[in-house]
């Protein structure tokens, strides 16, 4: 990652010297197994996959700092929008869950997502609304509508209503539904089908187990460790959304 970022800085610098605008997608890989980091950046002690993972995250921060420092020194930061996100988290044995493929606890689906917007752009939006959105459920499917919003591109509301993406610069409904799945019938056909629906503070997890439907429900706000299955302990809490399952 550090080598690639240094090359990216050189490339952006050449574009800047030619007065050219740029749009880039930077795909970093260091936080994927086997979790790469330099020994001098080993800030968390221990000898496990989990400590290696967190050290690789710190290594990525160190690498990204080179890019951010360059943008600041060249005064490009005031004209650049930066979006940072991930595709998934990682579990390391808690609740007997490891990896990220077919379970939907917060350590797997609670991904980072932050956006830096220069003040010259940010001043045109309602900061109170955006601040309130920090408390709402969001997804990386919201990135494209947000970019289009910044570019003042008209959005086909029906298209994004169907796919669920919402501009993060607009008010986000607290009860919006976000659908997550790591299953598809191409790459992961060997796994049991599994889907997760998040709305407000509840997380509904639908999994097939030996062709039988298993539904678990967690209040991930009140029960941060997601140890209390509401569907198992109180059958009357919620009805299974079979209509949703039929349409998947």
């Amino acid at each position: 990652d550090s080598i690639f970022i240094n090359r990216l800085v050189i490339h952006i610098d050449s574009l800047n010297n030619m007065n050219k605008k740029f749009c880039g997608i930077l795909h970093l890989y260091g936080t994927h197994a086997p979790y790469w980091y330099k020994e001098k950046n080993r800030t968390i002690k221990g000898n496990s996959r989990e400590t290696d993972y967190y050290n690789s995250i710190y290594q990525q921060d160190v690498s990204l700092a080179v890019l951010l420092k360059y943008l600041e020194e060249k005064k490009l930061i005031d004209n650049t929008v930066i979006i940072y996100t991930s595709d998934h988290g990682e579990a390391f044995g808690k609740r007997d869950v490891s990896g990220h493929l077919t379970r939907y606890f917060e350590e797997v689906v609670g991904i980072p997502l932050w956006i830096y917007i220069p003040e010259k752009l940010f001043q045109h939006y309602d900061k109170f609304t955006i601040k309130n959105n920090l408390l709402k459920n969001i997804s990386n499917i919201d990135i494209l509508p947000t970019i289009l919003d910044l570019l003042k591109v008209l959005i086909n509301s029906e298209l994004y209503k169907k796919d669920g993406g919402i501009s993060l610069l607009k008010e986000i409904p607290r009860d919006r539904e976000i659908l997550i799945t790591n299953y598809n019938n191409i790459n992961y056909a060997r796994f049991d089908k599994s889907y997760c629906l998040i709305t407000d503070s509840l997380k509904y997890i639908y999994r097939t187990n030996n062709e039988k439907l298993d539904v678990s429900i967690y209040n991930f706000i009140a029960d941060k460790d997601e140890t209390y299955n509401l569907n198992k302990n109180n059958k009357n809490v919620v009805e299974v959304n079979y209509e949703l399952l039929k349409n998947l």
Side-chain angles (χ1 to χ4, degrees), residues 98-150:
S98 296
H100 56 265
L101 288 177
T102 60
R103 304 305 294 271
Y104 302 96
F105 294 113
E106 281 302 287
E107 58 264 35
V108 174
V109 301
I111 61 173
L113 172 55
W114 59 260
I115 302 177
Y116 168 78
I117 302 175
E119 181 60 31
K120 63 175 64 178
L121 285 177
F122 197 56
Q123 64 183 350
H124 299 298
Y125 297 91
D126 184 353
K127 296 182 180 180
F128 181 78
T129 296
I130 296 173
K131 184 177 180 180
N132 282 342
N133 285 343
L134 294 173
L135 304 175
K136 309 290 182 61
N137 296 326
I138 63 173
S139 168
N140 48 18
I141 61 173
D142 299 328
I143 293 176
L144 181 56
T146 304
I147 293 173
L148 294 176
D149 196 345
L150 288 168

Side-chain angles (χ1 to χ4, degrees), residues 157-183:
S157 59
E158 289 302 313
L159 173 65
Y160 285 98
K161 182 178 180 182
K162 176 183 176 182
D163 294 340
I166 301 175
S167 169
L168 299 174
L169 305 174
K170 300 289 195 302
E171 183 177 1
I172 297 176
R174 184 173 292 278
D175 61 348
R176 72 177 297 199
E177 294 182 348
I178 297 177
L179 179 65
I180 305 173
T181 182
N182 279 330
Y183 170 86

